[in-house]
């Protein structure tokens, strides 16, 4: 498939043909502008493929976008919040859960315990009563991750979710992702260009350059990981 941004001539991603297994942990790497964000947004239907068909969880994204997005946990790369937004962290987490169950039914004790588990996993208990617009970059990233996890998604799409995290938090988040993938069989697609510890735990690395897939490596060897760490995509 291809995706062309409105008003552009050249596709931001092109000739992308990809099948991801329902329990796979995939890492997407590639230089700035390679199309990583475009690919994630095409998968969750925020962008529409201009050629080809995208199926997620067995359904066409162009036909069932909102229904699918309710089942996808997504953390965007650049998420800015108005510093004066009135919402507290705990409210943002609840909204994430409504994203899954719909606005028209009240949250059950099961919903609340999903939210509580995610809070505990991410260790953000002390942030719950803070306005979301006044968090640091790393704190906001943790809240977004907790919100995506509390949604109990069927697919997790994480765009540069390690970027603003400190080294300990990076390792902790990676450990959480690994647990979710192993214990629940949750498929995860994570974009990263700086945190290569992901290479040690993921099932598969996909390299993008100029909108094309230029590498697709299952369980990279140490030598392949070294090449990827140096920013080269083709071992
Ligand atoms: N809204 C937009 N309109 C037009 N072109 C865009 C838009 N967003 C991105 N692009 C272009 O699409 C290409 C892919 O961008 P994308 O954001 O997917 O790259 P990326 O791999 O995520 O980069 P980064 O590592 O910087 O996050 C780039 O050439 C970019 O300039
Ligand atoms: Mg990006």
């Amino acid at each position: 498939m291809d995706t062309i941004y409105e008003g552009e001539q050249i596709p931001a991603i092109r000739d992308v043909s990809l099948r991801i297994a329902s329990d796979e942990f995939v890492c997407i790497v590639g230089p700035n502008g390679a199309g990583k964000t475009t690919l994630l947004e095409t998968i969750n239907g925020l962008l529409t493929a201009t050629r080809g068909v995208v199926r997620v969880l067995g359904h066409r994204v162009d036909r069932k976008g909102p229904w699918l997005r309710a089942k996808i946990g997504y953390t965007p790369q650049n998420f800015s919040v108005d510093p004066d937004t009135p919402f507290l962290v705990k409210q943002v987490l609840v909204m994430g859960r409504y994203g899954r169950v719909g606005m028209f039914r009240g949250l059950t004790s099961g919903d609340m315990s999903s939210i509580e588990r995610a809070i505990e996993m991410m260790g953000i208990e002390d942030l719950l009563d803070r306005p979301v617009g006044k968090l640091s970059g790393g704190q906001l990233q943790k809240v977004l991750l907790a919100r995506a996890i509390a949604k109990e998604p069927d697919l997790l799409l994480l765009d540069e979710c390690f970027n603003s995290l400190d080294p300990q938090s990076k390792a902790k988040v990676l450990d959480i992702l690994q647990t979710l993938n192993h214990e629940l069989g949750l498929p995860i697609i994570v974009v990263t260009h700086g945190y290569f510890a992901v290479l040690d735990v993921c099932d598969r690395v996909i390299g993008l350059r100029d909108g094309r897939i230029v590498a697709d490596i299952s369980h990279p060897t140490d030598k392949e990981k070294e090449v990827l760490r140096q920013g080269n995509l083709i071992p």
Side-chain angles (χ1 to χ4, degrees):
M1 53 92 164
D2 294 352
T3 300
I4 306 177
Y5 283 98
E6 213 174 305
E8 299 291 322
Q9 309 290 321
I10 303 170
I13 52 172
R14 58 182 123 178
D15 302 327
V16 170
S17 180
L18 198 56
R19 180 177 284 272
I20 291 169
S22 59
D23 59 352
E24 230 170 1
F25 189 156
V26 177
C27 172
I28 299 181
V29 296
N32 292 134
K36 305 181 297 295
T37 296
T38 307
L39 178 59
L40 286 199
E41 296 207 341
T42 306
I43 293 172
N44 71 17
L46 294 176
L47 292 171
T48 308
T50 30
R51 190 175 66 86
V53 171
V54 182
R55 279 195 184 78
V56 178
L57 309 170
H59 298 273
R60 284 181 61 150
V61 169
D62 56 338
R63 295 191 181 151
K64 304 196 76 169
W67 183 83
L68 277 170
R69 277 192 292 283
K71 299 187 183 314
I72 296 174
Y74 175 52
T75 64
Q77 176 177 9
N78 299 311
F79 190 83
S80 56
V81 187
D82 179 346
D84 295 323
T85 184
F87 296 112
L88 304 179
V89 167
K90 59 187 176 193
Q91 294 169 318
V92 169
L93 297 172
V94 165
M95 285 179 227
R97 187 69 196 175
Y98 272 119
R100 169 95 201 187
V101 301
M103 285 301 281
F104 301 107
R105 80 153 168 82
L107 293 187
T108 63
S109 60
D111 293 320
M112 293 317 291
S113 52
S114 305
I115 295 170
E116 278 156 21
R117 269 199 308 274
I119 291 168
E120 197 185 332
M121 257 188 196
M122 289 306 308
I124 54 164
E125 292 86 346
D126 54 335
L127 300 178
L128 296 179
D129 290 312
R130 299 275 307 276
V132 75
K134 296 194 165 60
L135 299 177
S136 75
Q139 288 171 333
L140 178 62
Q141 188 62 256
K142 289 180 193 175
V143 169
L144 294 180
L145 281 160
R147 189 178 69 159
I149 292 168
K151 201 174 170 184
E152 294 183 299
D154 295 335
L155 168 65
L156 208 44
L157 301 177
L158 307 172
D159 199 347
E160 307 279 6
C161 66
F162 299 104
N163 263 5
S164 35
L165 299 180
D166 60 56
Q168 274 175 330
S169 302
K170 281 188 171 88
K172 186 174 154 189
V173 167
L174 186 56
D175 192 53
I176 291 169
L177 297 183
Q178 207 176 358
T179 305
L180 292 171
N181 176 253
H182 284 178
E183 289 182 6
L184 307 176
L186 177 67
I188 300 176
I189 307 179
V190 54
V191 168
T192 181
H193 46 217
Y195 187 53
F196 291 118
V198 188
L199 302 177
D200 296 324
V201 306
C202 68
D203 298 311
R204 183 174 171 196
V205 184
I206 290 168
L208 280 180
R209 185 191 292 136
D210 297 330
R212 291 193 165 90
I213 294 178
V214 292
D216 188 345
I217 308 163
S218 290
H219 298 287
T221 62
D222 287 344
K223 202 173 156 208
E224 285 167 330
K225 282 185 223 166
E226 190 47 41
V227 173
L228 290 162
R229 279 194 184 93
Q230 287 163 9
N232 297 315
L233 297 178
I234 306 171

